[in-house]
């Protein structure tokens, strides 16, 4: 492999002019990346004085903030491992500390007087960053050593924990850079939780290649976008669906597309990046027609970034070709399998018995559980989840994702999830848009979807959810994917009741 990015950024103070901005509603902090590096080294010194070093593990349970990424780089400098916990899913208590073998836990959650001694307010990190940095030479990481524990977005039960190797991080960063050429003058904006390792990739990329980085939160992103004026925006499909509705509203008011896009995203966009969940084809086309190319990709926690559309190879409907160092094979059951030159890992660190055997195969291969196909030019198309295939009583298998996407594409609903409670037919539970429910639009959309579907794919009933699916109400993951089982549990009575909901004509 080429030079280790991780080892370079921990041992070399940036000599370029790249800058880091952390911003939100009512606050903004900007500093040169060289200054950020100095502050991280001071935090590393403070951790060392607390007895933290190589092989120790630091938990971080906090919303996005400067102290989060200071801790992340500081931990890398002393060869301590981080474990990023998604806010709202974990509690900073003794059980968390013991379960994940944490030597320290930093959190923005208010701590009670009887909090464990190893749990500390993350705000204390700011003071350490102002201290004089102790001179020390960071130890180098081996490619097979693991810098962090990352967790699945967790649709049910306890999230699975996976340690990520240095080699997988370095390989992914070099591969992405070879496709997109991020450089000084670029400003990458990211707002998803920093507990997701890929969001921290852009910090490592900025330190190494010298572009700017802006970190905010999902709650603040639309408010700060025009002032930030990024060149690249990293977001999940749900974010770009919401942005599309903003743009459509501006277009309806007679604003020119280019002006509407500049008012929302700023006037410097080079491209838009999406992944983590299936993107709506209508949304991808909308941005292309507006002159803002939205590149979709594919990957899992267990594989990292696997395929990506990019300026040199882009095919509508696909999630791109495999990145350098990745190989995609479709197995006999139609499931996407990924082999990596530098695997993220070969087993979970924290998971139920049997989970690792189902996901990881010999030779650095991950069986993803996603159904897919490769075209003659090597572009990957994701067809759905293997466990989301409904087998009817006539033996026919229905892949639900195309039907769900067809319903969502009508614009009448925000999300659609299909179930088959009985031979009477498929039942859709739909997430309405915020505001009053437009029942007539949903009825019309149902007719359109059924007219475009084969007989066995037609929806017999639609159950309209009481409120939109959100992360806060537990029906979307942190990456805004519908949590199928939880939705079924919440609306089970109506799914199973043959007279409930809107019936097809």
């Amino acid at each position: 492999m080429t030079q280790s990015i991780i080892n370079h950024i921990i041992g070399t103070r940036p000599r370029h002019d790249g800058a880091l901005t952390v911003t939100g509603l009512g606050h903004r902090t900007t500093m040169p990346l060289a200054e950020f590096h100095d502050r991280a080294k001071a935090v590393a010194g403070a951790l060392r004085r607390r007895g933290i070093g190589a092989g120790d593990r630091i938990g971080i349970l906090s919303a996005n903030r400067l102290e989060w990424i200071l801790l992340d780089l500081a931990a890398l400098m002393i060869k301590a491992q981080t474990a990023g916990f998604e806010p709202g899913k974990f509690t900073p208590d003794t059980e968390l500390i013991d379960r994940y073998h944490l030597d320290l836990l930093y959190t923005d959650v208010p701590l009670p007087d009887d909090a464990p001694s190893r749990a500390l307010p993350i705000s204390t990190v700011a003071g350490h960053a102002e201290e004089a940095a102790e001179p020390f030479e960071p130890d180098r990481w081996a490619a097979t050593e693991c810098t962090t524990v990352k967790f699945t977005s967790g649709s049910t039960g306890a999230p699975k924990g996976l340690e990520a190797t240095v080699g997988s991080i370095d390989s992914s960063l070099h591969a992405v850079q070879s496709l997109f050429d991020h450089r000084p003058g670029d400003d990458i904006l990211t707002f998803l939780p920093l507990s997701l390792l890929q969001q921290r990739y852009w910090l490592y990329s900025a330190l190494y290649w010298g572009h700017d980085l802006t970190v905010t939160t999902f709650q603040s992103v639309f408010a700060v976008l025009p002032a930030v004026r990024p060149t690249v925006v990293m977001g999940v499909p749900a974010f770009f669906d919401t942005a599309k509705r903003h743009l459509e509203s501006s277009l309806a008011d007679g604003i020119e597309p280019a002006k509407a896009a500049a008012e929302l995203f700023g006037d410097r966009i080079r491209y838009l990046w999406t992944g983590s969940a299936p993107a709506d084809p209508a949304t991808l086309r909308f941005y292309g027609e507006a002159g803002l190319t939205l590149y979709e990709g594919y990957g899992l926690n267990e594989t990292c970034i696997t395929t990506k559309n990019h300026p040199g190879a882009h095919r509508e409907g696909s999630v791109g070709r495999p990145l350098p160092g990745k190989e995609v094979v479709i197995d006999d059951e139609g499931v996407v399998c990924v082999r990596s030159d530098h695997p993220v890992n070969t087993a979970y660190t924290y998971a139920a018995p049997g989970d690792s055997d189902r996901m990881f195969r010999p030779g650095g291969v991950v069986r993803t559980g996603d159904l897919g196909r490769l075209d003659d030019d090597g572009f990957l198309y994701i067809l759905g989840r293997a466990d989301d295939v409904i087998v009817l009583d006539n033996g026919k298998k229905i892949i639900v994702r195309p039907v769900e996407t067809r319903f969502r594409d009508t614009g009448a609903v925000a999300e659609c999830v299909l179930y088959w409670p009985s031979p009477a037919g498929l039942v859709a539970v739909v997430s309405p848009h915020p505001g009053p429910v437009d029942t007539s639009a949903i009825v019309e959309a149902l007719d359109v979807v059924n007219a475009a579907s084969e007989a066995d794919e037609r929806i017999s009933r639609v159950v309209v959810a009481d409120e939109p699916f959100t992360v806060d109400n537990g029906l979307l993951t942190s990456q805004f994917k519908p949590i199928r089982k939880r939705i079924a549990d919440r609306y089970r009575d109506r799914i199973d009741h043959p007279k409930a909901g809107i019936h097809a004509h």
Side-chain angles (χ1 to χ4, degrees):
M1 185 191 291
T2 51
Q3 182 182 37
S4 168
I5 292 171
I6 294 298
N7 284 323
H8 177 85
I9 64 173
I10 63 174
T12 305
R13 187 177 191 266
R15 297 184 178 90
H16 49 66
D17 295 327
L20 168 69
T21 297
V22 180
T23 186
L25 299 175
H27 71 88
R28 180 184 176 110
T29 300
T30 299
M31 68 183 69
L33 283 165
E35 178 184 339
F36 171 78
H37 194 275
D38 291 342
R39 293 190 183 195
K41 197 163 188 178
V43 174
L47 292 172
R48 281 159 52 99
R49 289 193 295 275
R50 291 191 69 96
I52 303 298
D56 292 327
R57 183 178 291 167
I58 301 167
I60 306 173
L61 172 56
S62 170
N64 292 359
R65 55 192 291 162
L66 177 60
E67 292 89 345
W68 213 122
I69 44 181
L70 282 168
L71 277 170
D72 188 59
L73 183 58
L76 287 172
M77 288 176 169
I78 60 175
K79 286 196 74 174
Q81 194 181 75
T82 54
F85 298 102
E86 185 182 333
K89 284 195 173 181
F90 298 89
T91 302
D93 54 18
T94 300
E95 181 181 353
L96 182 75
I97 290 171
D98 291 344
R99 173 178 173 80
Y100 295 109
H101 306 97
L102 305 180
D103 296 283
L104 288 177
L105 172 64
Y106 287 92
T107 183
D108 62 355
V109 177
L111 293 169
D113 292 339
D114 60 350
S117 60
R118 285 176 285 171
L120 302 169
I122 196 169
S123 57
T124 60
V125 174
H128 297 321
E130 300 296 332
E131 299 169 0
E134 300 174 355
F136 70 92
E137 189 65 30
D139 292 331
R140 293 178 62 83
W141 292 82
T144 54
E145 291 182 303
C146 297
T147 69
T148 191
V149 181
K150 56 180 182 175
F151 295 90
T152 61
S153 52
S155 58
T156 58
K160 293 186 282 288
L162 179 71
E163 294 179 84
T165 62
V166 171
S168 69
I169 298 170
D170 286 338
S171 177
S172 294
L173 287 168
H174 279 296
V176 168
Q177 181 66 9
S178 73
L179 304 181
F180 289 98
D181 188 27
H182 299 130
R183 53 191 179 270
D186 274 325
D187 187 351
I188 295 178
L189 182 141
T190 183
F191 56 84
L192 292 176
L194 289 166
S195 54
L196 302 172
L197 175 60
Q198 188 180 319
Q199 304 311 302
R200 281 126 66 194
Y201 277 11
W202 312 120
L203 171 68
Y204 310 155
S205 174
L207 288 164
Y208 192 80
W209 278 290
H211 60 77
D212 294 345
L213 174 67
T214 298
V215 178
T216 187
T217 64
F218 183 77
Q219 292 78 10
S220 304
V221 62
F222 284 112
V224 305
L225 258 172
V228 171
R229 299 177 63 232
T231 60
V232 180
V233 177
M234 306 284 178
V236 293
F239 164 77
F240 289 109
D241 289 340
T242 302
K244 173 175 173 277
R245 291 193 287 273
H246 284 298
L247 291 171
E248 288 172 333
S249 177
S250 296
L251 296 177
D253 292 337
I255 300 175
E256 292 295 321
K259 183 179 180 183
E263 288 178 352
L264 183 62
F265 288 104
D267 57 359
R268 297 202 307 141
I269 293 294
R270 183 155 74 90
Y271 75 90
L272 306 172
W273 169 300
T274 195
S276 301
D280 186 336
T283 298
L284 295 169
R285 287 193 296 272
F286 175 85
Y287 282 100
E289 292 166 359
L292 299 171
T293 306
L294 177 56
Y295 293 113
E296 186 177 11
Y298 171 76
L300 307 179
N301 252 344
E302 295 84 355
T303 66
C304 200
I305 308 166
T306 298
T307 66
K308 190 71 185 175
N309 282 297
H310 59 91
H314 182 205
R315 185 157 295 176
E316 185 175 326
S318 81
V319 290
R321 286 173 169 159
L323 271 64
K326 301 289 185 184
E327 179 185 5
V328 172
V329 175
I330 310 300
D331 73 11
D332 293 341
E333 296 179 349
V335 174
V336 177
C337 298
V338 179
R339 191 198 66 78
S340 303
D341 289 348
H342 297 276
V344 175
N345 213 307
T346 56
Y348 294 113
T349 307
Y350 300 99
D355 283 350
S356 288
D357 293 337
R358 283 187 287 271
M359 179 65 71
F360 299 96
R361 304 299 164 90
V365 173
V366 170
R367 190 177 191 270
T368 67
D370 289 317
L371 299 173
R373 68 176 179 87
L374 290 165
D375 69 16
D376 292 341
D377 296 317
F379 287 88
L380 176 65
Y381 298 77
I382 300 299
L383 306 177
R385 290 286 299 170
D387 51 5
D388 290 342
V389 174
I390 293 175
V391 182
L392 307 182
D393 56 357
N394 63 6
K396 182 169 180 178
K397 295 180 179 179
I398 302 296
I399 300 175
V400 298
R401 177 177 162 185
V403 185
E404 293 169 344
T405 300
R406 204 174 295 145
F407 209 139
R408 196 173 61 241
D409 284 353
T410 66
V413 300
E415 285 290 352
C416 171
V417 182
L418 287 181
Y419 302 94
W420 192 65
S422 74
L426 296 173
V427 176
V429 179
V430 299
S431 169
H433 292 297
V437 175
D438 189 342
T439 303
S440 61
I442 294 174
V443 171
E444 183 178 339
L446 176 59
D447 291 340
V448 170
V449 171
N450 281 343
S453 302
E454 295 182 14
D456 287 328
E457 295 176 342
R458 290 173 189 154
I459 299 167
S460 64
R461 288 187 291 121
V462 174
V463 173
V464 180
D466 298 331
E467 59 181 348
F469 304 160
T470 66
V471 175
D472 290 340
N473 66 22
L475 300 183
L476 294 178
T477 70
S478 61
Q479 298 181 51
F480 303 93
K481 302 176 188 177
I483 302 175
R484 192 173 298 272
K485 184 179 184 303
R486 201 169 290 168
I487 294 166
D489 290 343
R490 190 164 301 183
Y491 293 99
R492 175 60 61 195
D493 290 347
R494 277 179 265 178
I495 292 171
D496 290 343
H497 196 297
K499 293 185 178 180
I502 299 168
H503 288 251
H505 293 136

PDB file of all heavy atoms in Angstrom, residues 407 410 412 426 428 440-453 458-462 502-505:
ATOM      1  N   PHE A 407     -43.662   3.580  -5.009  1.00  0.00           N
ATOM      2  CA  PHE A 407     -44.642   4.334  -4.227  1.00  0.00           C
ATOM      3  C   PHE A 407     -44.032   5.663  -3.754  1.00  0.00           C
ATOM      4  O   PHE A 407     -44.652   6.725  -3.854  1.00  0.00           O
ATOM      5  CB  PHE A 407     -45.108   3.501  -3.028  1.00  0.00           C
ATOM      6  CG  PHE A 407     -46.507   3.818  -2.571  1.00  0.00           C
ATOM      7  CD1 PHE A 407     -47.370   2.799  -2.197  1.00  0.00           C
ATOM      8  CD2 PHE A 407     -46.971   5.119  -2.499  1.00  0.00           C
ATOM      9  CE1 PHE A 407     -48.660   3.058  -1.773  1.00  0.00           C
ATOM     10  CE2 PHE A 407     -48.255   5.404  -2.076  1.00  0.00           C
ATOM     11  CZ  PHE A 407     -49.108   4.375  -1.711  1.00  0.00           C
ATOM     12  N   THR A 410     -43.818   8.543  -6.253  1.00  0.00           N
ATOM     13  CA  THR A 410     -45.012   9.316  -6.611  1.00  0.00           C
ATOM     14  C   THR A 410     -45.032  10.671  -5.912  1.00  0.00           C
ATOM     15  O   THR A 410     -45.739  11.582  -6.345  1.00  0.00           O
ATOM     16  CB  THR A 410     -46.296   8.552  -6.235  1.00  0.00           C
ATOM     17  OG1 THR A 410     -46.367   8.430  -4.796  1.00  0.00           O
ATOM     18  CG2 THR A 410     -46.330   7.177  -6.881  1.00  0.00           C
ATOM     19  N   ALA A 412     -46.273  11.183  -3.012  1.00  0.00           N
ATOM     20  CA  ALA A 412     -47.406  11.273  -2.095  1.00  0.00           C
ATOM     21  C   ALA A 412     -47.032  10.911  -0.664  1.00  0.00           C
ATOM     22  O   ALA A 412     -47.721  11.305   0.282  1.00  0.00           O
ATOM     23  CB  ALA A 412     -48.538  10.362  -2.575  1.00  0.00           C
ATOM     24  N   LEU A 426     -50.444  -7.780  -0.430  1.00  0.00           N
ATOM     25  CA  LEU A 426     -49.431  -6.930   0.194  1.00  0.00           C
ATOM     26  C   LEU A 426     -50.087  -5.743   0.892  1.00  0.00           C
ATOM     27  O   LEU A 426     -51.061  -5.168   0.397  1.00  0.00           O
ATOM     28  CB  LEU A 426     -48.449  -6.408  -0.857  1.00  0.00           C
ATOM     29  CG  LEU A 426     -47.591  -7.457  -1.574  1.00  0.00           C
ATOM     30  CD1 LEU A 426     -46.804  -6.810  -2.708  1.00  0.00           C
ATOM     31  CD2 LEU A 426     -46.636  -8.119  -0.595  1.00  0.00           C
ATOM     32  N   ALA A 428     -49.010  -1.973   2.576  1.00  0.00           N
ATOM     33  CA  ALA A 428     -47.974  -0.947   2.684  1.00  0.00           C
ATOM     34  C   ALA A 428     -48.228  -0.088   3.909  1.00  0.00           C
ATOM     35  O   ALA A 428     -49.357   0.384   4.110  1.00  0.00           O
ATOM     36  CB  ALA A 428     -47.954  -0.067   1.439  1.00  0.00           C
ATOM     37  N   SER A 440     -56.296  11.790  -0.589  1.00  0.00           N
ATOM     38  CA  SER A 440     -56.623  11.634  -2.010  1.00  0.00           C
ATOM     39  C   SER A 440     -55.366  11.421  -2.842  1.00  0.00           C
ATOM     40  O   SER A 440     -55.361  10.628  -3.799  1.00  0.00           O
ATOM     41  CB  SER A 440     -57.390  12.856  -2.516  1.00  0.00           C
ATOM     42  OG  SER A 440     -56.615  14.031  -2.398  1.00  0.00           O
ATOM     43  N   ALA A 441     -54.268  12.094  -2.477  1.00  0.00           N
ATOM     44  CA  ALA A 441     -53.005  11.909  -3.199  1.00  0.00           C
ATOM     45  C   ALA A 441     -52.464  10.503  -2.984  1.00  0.00           C
ATOM     46  O   ALA A 441     -51.899   9.895  -3.914  1.00  0.00           O
ATOM     47  CB  ALA A 441     -51.984  12.950  -2.748  1.00  0.00           C
ATOM     48  N   ILE A 442     -52.643   9.972  -1.777  1.00  0.00           N
ATOM     49  CA  ILE A 442     -52.172   8.609  -1.490  1.00  0.00           C
ATOM     50  C   ILE A 442     -52.995   7.590  -2.275  1.00  0.00           C
ATOM     51  O   ILE A 442     -52.454   6.621  -2.827  1.00  0.00           O
ATOM     52  CB  ILE A 442     -52.220   8.333   0.023  1.00  0.00           C
ATOM     53  CG1 ILE A 442     -51.218   9.237   0.747  1.00  0.00           C
ATOM     54  CG2 ILE A 442     -51.925   6.864   0.316  1.00  0.00           C
ATOM     55  CD1 ILE A 442     -51.275   9.146   2.261  1.00  0.00           C
ATOM     56  N   VAL A 443     -54.303   7.802  -2.350  1.00  0.00           N
ATOM     57  CA  VAL A 443     -55.166   6.906  -3.133  1.00  0.00           C
ATOM     58  C   VAL A 443     -54.755   6.919  -4.599  1.00  0.00           C
ATOM     59  O   VAL A 443     -54.646   5.868  -5.252  1.00  0.00           O
ATOM     60  CB  VAL A 443     -56.644   7.317  -2.980  1.00  0.00           C
ATOM     61  CG1 VAL A 443     -57.513   6.541  -3.963  1.00  0.00           C
ATOM     62  CG2 VAL A 443     -57.122   7.083  -1.551  1.00  0.00           C
ATOM     63  N   GLU A 444     -54.524   8.112  -5.126  1.00  0.00           N
ATOM     64  CA  GLU A 444     -54.112   8.242  -6.523  1.00  0.00           C
ATOM     65  C   GLU A 444     -52.761   7.566  -6.753  1.00  0.00           C
ATOM     66  O   GLU A 444     -52.561   6.866  -7.758  1.00  0.00           O
ATOM     67  CB  GLU A 444     -54.033   9.724  -6.899  1.00  0.00           C
ATOM     68  CG  GLU A 444     -53.679   9.969  -8.359  1.00  0.00           C
ATOM     69  CD  GLU A 444     -53.659  11.442  -8.705  1.00  0.00           C
ATOM     70  OE1 GLU A 444     -54.291  12.243  -7.971  1.00  0.00           O
ATOM     71  OE2 GLU A 444     -53.025  11.800  -9.710  1.00  0.00           O
ATOM     72  N   ALA A 445     -51.842   7.743  -5.804  1.00  0.00           N
ATOM     73  CA  ALA A 445     -50.517   7.114  -5.923  1.00  0.00           C
ATOM     74  C   ALA A 445     -50.629   5.598  -5.893  1.00  0.00           C
ATOM     75  O   ALA A 445     -49.931   4.893  -6.635  1.00  0.00           O
ATOM     76  CB  ALA A 445     -49.606   7.602  -4.794  1.00  0.00           C
ATOM     77  N   LEU A 446     -51.508   5.079  -5.043  1.00  0.00           N
ATOM     78  CA  LEU A 446     -51.709   3.628  -4.967  1.00  0.00           C
ATOM     79  C   LEU A 446     -52.158   3.077  -6.317  1.00  0.00           C
ATOM     80  O   LEU A 446     -51.672   2.036  -6.775  1.00  0.00           O
ATOM     81  CB  LEU A 446     -52.734   3.307  -3.877  1.00  0.00           C
ATOM     82  CG  LEU A 446     -53.139   1.840  -3.716  1.00  0.00           C
ATOM     83  CD1 LEU A 446     -51.933   0.965  -3.404  1.00  0.00           C
ATOM     84  CD2 LEU A 446     -54.202   1.710  -2.625  1.00  0.00           C
ATOM     85  N   ASP A 447     -53.070   3.785  -6.963  1.00  0.00           N
ATOM     86  CA  ASP A 447     -53.538   3.352  -8.280  1.00  0.00           C
ATOM     87  C   ASP A 447     -52.394   3.353  -9.291  1.00  0.00           C
ATOM     88  O   ASP A 447     -52.254   2.421 -10.101  1.00  0.00           O
ATOM     89  CB  ASP A 447     -54.660   4.267  -8.772  1.00  0.00           C
ATOM     90  CG  ASP A 447     -55.945   4.093  -7.965  1.00  0.00           C
ATOM     91  OD1 ASP A 447     -56.091   3.047  -7.303  1.00  0.00           O
ATOM     92  OD2 ASP A 447     -56.791   5.013  -8.004  1.00  0.00           O
ATOM     93  N   VAL A 448     -51.555   4.387  -9.243  1.00  0.00           N
ATOM     94  CA  VAL A 448     -50.428   4.501 -10.177  1.00  0.00           C
ATOM     95  C   VAL A 448     -49.432   3.363  -9.953  1.00  0.00           C
ATOM     96  O   VAL A 448     -48.957   2.733 -10.901  1.00  0.00           O
ATOM     97  CB  VAL A 448     -49.738   5.868 -10.025  1.00  0.00           C
ATOM     98  CG1 VAL A 448     -48.419   5.905 -10.798  1.00  0.00           C
ATOM     99  CG2 VAL A 448     -50.654   6.987 -10.492  1.00  0.00           C
ATOM    100  N   VAL A 449     -49.109   3.093  -8.687  1.00  0.00           N
ATOM    101  CA  VAL A 449     -48.148   2.037  -8.358  1.00  0.00           C
ATOM    102  C   VAL A 449     -48.673   0.673  -8.810  1.00  0.00           C
ATOM    103  O   VAL A 449     -47.956  -0.121  -9.419  1.00  0.00           O
ATOM    104  CB  VAL A 449     -47.849   2.034  -6.842  1.00  0.00           C
ATOM    105  CG1 VAL A 449     -47.017   0.812  -6.458  1.00  0.00           C
ATOM    106  CG2 VAL A 449     -47.117   3.312  -6.449  1.00  0.00           C
ATOM    107  N   ASN A 450     -49.922   0.399  -8.517  1.00  0.00           N
ATOM    108  CA  ASN A 450     -50.485  -0.901  -8.887  1.00  0.00           C
ATOM    109  C   ASN A 450     -50.591  -1.070 -10.397  1.00  0.00           C
ATOM    110  O   ASN A 450     -50.398  -2.178 -10.924  1.00  0.00           O
ATOM    111  CB  ASN A 450     -51.856  -1.090  -8.234  1.00  0.00           C
ATOM    112  CG  ASN A 450     -51.744  -1.492  -6.775  1.00  0.00           C
ATOM    113  OD1 ASN A 450     -50.693  -1.938  -6.323  1.00  0.00           O
ATOM    114  ND2 ASN A 450     -52.828  -1.347  -6.035  1.00  0.00           N
ATOM    115  N   ALA A 451     -50.861   0.011 -11.109  1.00  0.00           N
ATOM    116  CA  ALA A 451     -50.946  -0.071 -12.562  1.00  0.00           C
ATOM    117  C   ALA A 451     -49.595  -0.421 -13.176  1.00  0.00           C
ATOM    118  O   ALA A 451     -49.536  -1.037 -14.250  1.00  0.00           O
ATOM    119  CB  ALA A 451     -51.462   1.250 -13.131  1.00  0.00           C
ATOM    120  N   ALA A 452     -48.512  -0.036 -12.494  1.00  0.00           N
ATOM    121  CA  ALA A 452     -47.169  -0.287 -13.024  1.00  0.00           C
ATOM    122  C   ALA A 452     -46.559  -1.578 -12.496  1.00  0.00           C
ATOM    123  O   ALA A 452     -45.418  -1.899 -12.832  1.00  0.00           O
ATOM    124  CB  ALA A 452     -46.255   0.890 -12.676  1.00  0.00           C
ATOM    125  N   SER A 453     -47.304  -2.317 -11.675  1.00  0.00           N
ATOM    126  CA  SER A 453     -46.774  -3.518 -11.026  1.00  0.00           C
ATOM    127  C   SER A 453     -47.403  -4.771 -11.608  1.00  0.00           C
ATOM    128  O   SER A 453     -48.523  -4.750 -12.118  1.00  0.00           O
ATOM    129  CB  SER A 453     -47.039  -3.468  -9.517  1.00  0.00           C
ATOM    130  OG  SER A 453     -46.467  -2.317  -8.926  1.00  0.00           O
ATOM    131  N   ARG A 458     -48.955  -6.145  -6.593  1.00  0.00           N
ATOM    132  CA  ARG A 458     -49.899  -5.062  -6.325  1.00  0.00           C
ATOM    133  C   ARG A 458     -50.251  -4.983  -4.846  1.00  0.00           C
ATOM    134  O   ARG A 458     -50.368  -6.004  -4.157  1.00  0.00           O
ATOM    135  CB  ARG A 458     -51.160  -5.237  -7.185  1.00  0.00           C
ATOM    136  CG  ARG A 458     -50.865  -4.974  -8.652  1.00  0.00           C
ATOM    137  CD  ARG A 458     -52.037  -5.292  -9.556  1.00  0.00           C
ATOM    138  NE  ARG A 458     -51.588  -5.202 -10.951  1.00  0.00           N
ATOM    139  CZ  ARG A 458     -52.144  -5.852 -11.947  1.00  0.00           C
ATOM    140  NH1 ARG A 458     -53.172  -6.662 -11.718  1.00  0.00           N
ATOM    141  NH2 ARG A 458     -51.680  -5.721 -13.177  1.00  0.00           N
ATOM    142  N   ILE A 459     -50.419  -3.772  -4.366  1.00  0.00           N
ATOM    143  CA  ILE A 459     -50.686  -3.502  -2.956  1.00  0.00           C
ATOM    144  C   ILE A 459     -52.190  -3.522  -2.727  1.00  0.00           C
ATOM    145  O   ILE A 459     -52.947  -2.819  -3.416  1.00  0.00           O
ATOM    146  CB  ILE A 459     -50.095  -2.136  -2.555  1.00  0.00           C
ATOM    147  CG1 ILE A 459     -48.570  -2.146  -2.758  1.00  0.00           C
ATOM    148  CG2 ILE A 459     -50.447  -1.783  -1.114  1.00  0.00           C
ATOM    149  CD1 ILE A 459     -47.934  -0.777  -2.684  1.00  0.00           C
ATOM    150  N   SER A 460     -52.622  -4.306  -1.757  1.00  0.00           N
ATOM    151  CA  SER A 460     -54.066  -4.413  -1.489  1.00  0.00           C
ATOM    152  C   SER A 460     -54.554  -3.318  -0.548  1.00  0.00           C
ATOM    153  O   SER A 460     -55.689  -2.854  -0.669  1.00  0.00           O
ATOM    154  CB  SER A 460     -54.384  -5.783  -0.897  1.00  0.00           C
ATOM    155  OG  SER A 460     -53.749  -5.957   0.363  1.00  0.00           O
ATOM    156  N   ARG A 461     -53.696  -2.944   0.415  1.00  0.00           N
ATOM    157  CA  ARG A 461     -54.093  -1.929   1.396  1.00  0.00           C
ATOM    158  C   ARG A 461     -52.918  -1.035   1.745  1.00  0.00           C
ATOM    159  O   ARG A 461     -51.756  -1.460   1.670  1.00  0.00           O
ATOM    160  CB  ARG A 461     -54.585  -2.578   2.693  1.00  0.00           C
ATOM    161  CG  ARG A 461     -55.930  -3.253   2.638  1.00  0.00           C
ATOM    162  CD  ARG A 461     -56.376  -3.709   4.013  1.00  0.00           C
ATOM    163  NE  ARG A 461     -55.586  -4.807   4.548  1.00  0.00           N
ATOM    164  CZ  ARG A 461     -54.902  -4.780   5.677  1.00  0.00           C
ATOM    165  NH1 ARG A 461     -54.894  -3.664   6.420  1.00  0.00           N
ATOM    166  NH2 ARG A 461     -54.238  -5.838   6.090  1.00  0.00           N
ATOM    167  N   VAL A 462     -53.245   0.195   2.175  1.00  0.00           N
ATOM    168  CA  VAL A 462     -52.232   1.133   2.651  1.00  0.00           C
ATOM    169  C   VAL A 462     -52.602   1.586   4.059  1.00  0.00           C
ATOM    170  O   VAL A 462     -53.713   2.070   4.306  1.00  0.00           O
ATOM    171  CB  VAL A 462     -52.120   2.365   1.736  1.00  0.00           C
ATOM    172  CG1 VAL A 462     -51.162   3.392   2.336  1.00  0.00           C
ATOM    173  CG2 VAL A 462     -51.661   1.959   0.346  1.00  0.00           C
ATOM    174  N   ILE A 502     -56.394   2.137   3.721  1.00  0.00           N
ATOM    175  CA  ILE A 502     -56.950   2.520   2.430  1.00  0.00           C
ATOM    176  C   ILE A 502     -56.861   1.309   1.507  1.00  0.00           C
ATOM    177  O   ILE A 502     -55.798   0.740   1.329  1.00  0.00           O
ATOM    178  CB  ILE A 502     -56.141   3.698   1.829  1.00  0.00           C
ATOM    179  CG1 ILE A 502     -56.196   4.913   2.748  1.00  0.00           C
ATOM    180  CG2 ILE A 502     -56.632   4.042   0.426  1.00  0.00           C
ATOM    181  CD1 ILE A 502     -55.193   6.002   2.387  1.00  0.00           C
ATOM    182  N   HIS A 503     -57.996   0.939   0.929  1.00  0.00           N
ATOM    183  CA  HIS A 503     -58.037  -0.254   0.081  1.00  0.00           C
ATOM    184  C   HIS A 503     -57.884   0.118  -1.388  1.00  0.00           C
ATOM    185  O   HIS A 503     -58.361   1.159  -1.852  1.00  0.00           O
ATOM    186  CB  HIS A 503     -59.357  -1.002   0.284  1.00  0.00           C
ATOM    187  CG  HIS A 503     -59.435  -1.685   1.609  1.00  0.00           C
ATOM    188  ND1 HIS A 503     -59.383  -3.059   1.746  1.00  0.00           N
ATOM    189  CD2 HIS A 503     -59.535  -1.191   2.875  1.00  0.00           C
ATOM    190  CE1 HIS A 503     -59.463  -3.381   3.022  1.00  0.00           C
ATOM    191  NE2 HIS A 503     -59.570  -2.262   3.725  1.00  0.00           N
ATOM    192  N   ALA A 504     -57.187  -0.752  -2.104  1.00  0.00           N
ATOM    193  CA  ALA A 504     -57.009  -0.546  -3.545  1.00  0.00           C
ATOM    194  C   ALA A 504     -58.343  -0.741  -4.258  1.00  0.00           C
ATOM    195  O   ALA A 504     -59.208  -1.502  -3.819  1.00  0.00           O
ATOM    196  CB  ALA A 504     -55.983  -1.524  -4.091  1.00  0.00           C
ATOM    197  N   HIS A 505     -58.483  -0.048  -5.368  1.00  0.00           N
ATOM    198  CA  HIS A 505     -59.707  -0.182  -6.183  1.00  0.00           C
ATOM    199  C   HIS A 505     -59.726  -1.535  -6.885  1.00  0.00           C
ATOM    200  O   HIS A 505     -58.701  -2.067  -7.253  1.00  0.00           O
ATOM    201  CB  HIS A 505     -59.759   0.946  -7.213  1.00  0.00           C
ATOM    202  CG  HIS A 505     -59.932   2.293  -6.587  1.00  0.00           C
ATOM    203  ND1 HIS A 505     -59.225   3.400  -6.971  1.00  0.00           N
ATOM    204  CD2 HIS A 505     -60.742   2.704  -5.568  1.00  0.00           C
ATOM    205  CE1 HIS A 505     -59.583   4.456  -6.245  1.00  0.00           C
ATOM    206  NE2 HIS A 505     -60.492   4.047  -5.384  1.00  0.00           N
TER     207      HIS A 505
END
